Amino acid sequence: MDRVSSFDEPLLKLLGGATAKVMAEHLGLHTVGDLLHHYPRRYEERGKLTALADLPLDEHVTVVAQVADARILMFNNGRGKRLEVTLTDGSGRLQLVFFGHGVHKPHKELIPGRQAMFAGKVSVFNRKMQLAHPTYQLLDASDADEATEAVDAFAGRLLPIYPACKQLDSWRIAKAVDAVLPSARDAVDPLPASLREGRGFTPLPEALLKVHRPQTKADVEDARARLKWDEAFVLQVALARRRYADTQLPAVARRPVADGLLDAFDAKLPFTLTEGQEKVSKEIFDDLATEHPMHRLLQGEVGSGKTMVALRAMLTVVDAGGQAAMLAPTEVLAQQHHRSITETMGELAEGGMLGGSDRGTKVVLLTGSMGMAARRQALLDLVTGEAGIVIGTHALIEDKVRFHDLGLVVVDEQHRFGVEQRDALRSKGKQPPHLLVMTATPIPRTVAMTVFGDLETSVLDQLPAGRSPIASHVVPAKDKPHFLARAWERVREEVENGHQAYVVCPRIGDDAEEAEGKGGKKTKARKQAADEDPEKRPPLAVLEIADELRKGALAGLSVEVLHGRMHPDDKDDVMRRFAAGDVDVLVATTVIEVGVNVPNATAMVIMDADRFGVSQLHQLRGRVGRGSAPGLCLLVSEAHEASPARARLSAVAATLDGFELSRIDLEQRREGDVLGQAQSGVRSSLRMLTVIDDEEVIAAAREEAVAVVAADPELEHLPELRTVLAALLDKDREEYLDKG
């Protein structure tokens, strides 16, 4: 068998149909290589040999003893049976118990007089110490030396506990691993020899043996260090190659032009840019001036002025004769960006129109719900080059949309766009356009190096002058209902002081079932569920809460709703009236999460706040305190005081630092959501590496990977690394990496 094929061997051949089927369906394991990379989660210690007289309760022990008695007992009217075995070692007695199908083998083997080693967890049943379903190994009484050796090996061993599923428990997975473990010696080692030796790593076959069958804790540490490095390094090589390939693509350099649109825009700005904005703008301008496409991630706190940085980049491209497109995740946000950009630019956004500046350009909006005439005009402005800037939703990606010369694509809130959408937009340029990806979700450095590893990163971490602090408080509605009453009083006070407020709910409400007249029953059932267990009741809904507030706590105020099922014109109308100050309180879903900018809104009440993620709460909170008056964010929750949900809310209330919160978020969700289904729809390929704990490993691996790819972009001299990369980068994984 050659070196690669033993790893590619289907498990079906080695393990039998039933086990292989469960592994494939429930654990995603198909080949020998998959199973060898299915690492133990932790290890149990069998414990040193313990005398029966000294057994500690609730601990794992290993005993050597003789079978004194064994009998099968029937129960449940003869439908169930259990085997009870009594052991003795001279110091005391201990009972073992085996149930169901597990009784046959021990019944045959554990006959009175036999000596064996037994390992398991000590419990008490009927006031007697017992081990339920222990593992055991028979000892040959005729060879004392061999028995002593066997005892030492058995008692001192670490038992691997594998990530398992209901259909296949850990010890059966361990058995399957035993069957494929000899193939570990065929492992293809991805690390270049110089790197492996330089860092003193254990060879890969040895690391696999040590991780699955460690003799000591040092073995586990050794193996983990090596396997973490492999994962980090292979992933970083894949990303470094992607960055290298991007640098080989041609692009039109877009250099700033003196006395152009950008200079005219800067001259009329009523404020000065922050140091951070200046620094990041320079990084972007340097990228735009090169003849290969920029691929930059701009991450910045809510309200740090990312849109201003992006707009200045777009104006530079227009000055250089190109067009810029800004892609927003929702119509509400696209309309908002269009409104704020045209207002900020003034007559510079009216190029070719009466009253427009001769240095100006046209800024058009393109969304799916626009009327035909407006849409036709926008498409015409794009294809002729009349419009230098277009802002839109994924409607921009449609086949009908043609550009005169697309030079820059700005993607707002990247995580909402798939790779196909990004590629479709990029393919609209004569040559690949420059790409700027923006996110207001602060991303810890390690995640930026993995999830967004094919992008260069810029961070805006200071807020513009004049931004107000936001006070955040948890409102425990169930324990202290008067706190919720006070929350609505605070909203009323803000409105009386000339300000506005948001109320955010997790659900829209008015479900189809309710609309069909079954609402009475449903509401009753909902109330009953809520009384029994707040966790079980459906999340609070916009339409219900708005109705309650109009009739009760906020009666007399102008309360409007905003949610995703509304007609786009209605959404736009509500947002315009809220922005103009005609609406006091906006009850909304998370459609307001990103980009909505109403400086006069100072208060936000988030209902069922425990149903939102940490980063999402931080995003929502960023909608208030955008003007000169301080902001207030009230997190309403019925979760129990000691629950993890409440701990999460307290963390959000305690800090306004998005990077700190993103770290907390990541620690709670681990990387499953960050690197797994949430980003890619495929299982995360990280099995040993945790992006939250292994920052140093990832950073060092990135450095090594960059050096390796710079020296040998095609990896011609590293065939093993190429083989491992090919296995990692199946189609799903390639697409996932593209999502950066």
Side-chain angles (χ1 to χ4, degrees), residues 48 55 114 162 191 360 369 373 391 406 452 480 483 526 574 576 579 713:
K48 297 297 173 216
L55 290 180
R114 283 306 295 264
Y162 287 91
L191 296 191
S369 66
I391 293 143
L406 180 61
F452 296 104
K480 298 177 179 170
F483 275 39
R526 188 171 285 160
V574 171
R576 273 179 197 281

Side-chain angles (χ1 to χ4, degrees), residues 24-101:
E25 286 176 8
H26 296 278
L27 297 170
L29 308 174
H30 304 274
T31 65
V32 167
D34 290 343
L35 183 52
L36 285 173
H37 288 301
H38 186 72
Y39 306 130
R41 254 183 318 129
R42 58 189 173 85
Y43 302 86
E44 290 285 10
E45 290 184 73
R46 277 186 169 142
K48 297 297 173 216
L49 287 182
T50 311
L52 295 187
D54 308 327
L55 290 180
L57 197 59
D58 279 340
E59 280 189 27
H60 283 268
V61 298
T62 302
V63 298
V64 172
Q66 198 170 45
V67 177
D69 178 38
R71 59 191 177 281
I72 282 191
L73 302 172
M74 297 302 201
F75 61 94
N76 204 359
N77 291 331
R79 286 199 296 276
K81 56 176 151 182
R82 71 176 183 270
L83 169 67
E84 286 185 0
V85 178
T86 307
L87 302 180
T88 176
D89 69 347
S91 74
R93 292 169 86 80
L94 174 67
Q95 191 165 319
L96 314 180
V97 61
F98 300 86
F99 290 100
H101 298 305

Side-chain angles (χ1 to χ4, degrees), residues 486 488-499 557:
R486 176 70 188 121
W488 299 128
E489 281 172 25
R490 283 292 289 112
V491 169
R492 196 177 271 283
E493 286 163 17
E494 289 297 313
V495 173
E496 282 164 4
N497 288 331
H499 297 300
L557 302 186

Side-chain angles (χ1 to χ4, degrees), residues 325-381:
M326 181 184 247
L327 204 53
T330 63
E331 293 212 351
V332 167
L333 194 50
Q335 286 160 343
Q336 163 115 11
H337 276 320
H338 181 252
R339 208 163 36 238
S340 69
I341 283 173
T342 48
E343 281 165 13
T344 311
M345 286 176 65
E347 77 281 1
L348 296 173
E350 296 163 3
M353 292 186 246
L354 270 177
S357 159
D358 55 354
R359 280 190 289 186
T361 187
K362 213 170 183 184
V363 179
V364 300
L365 176 70
L366 188 63
T367 64
S369 66
M370 281 168 73
M372 273 315 292
R375 185 176 171 75
R376 199 173 291 126
Q377 185 59 53
L379 291 171
L380 188 64
D381 288 341

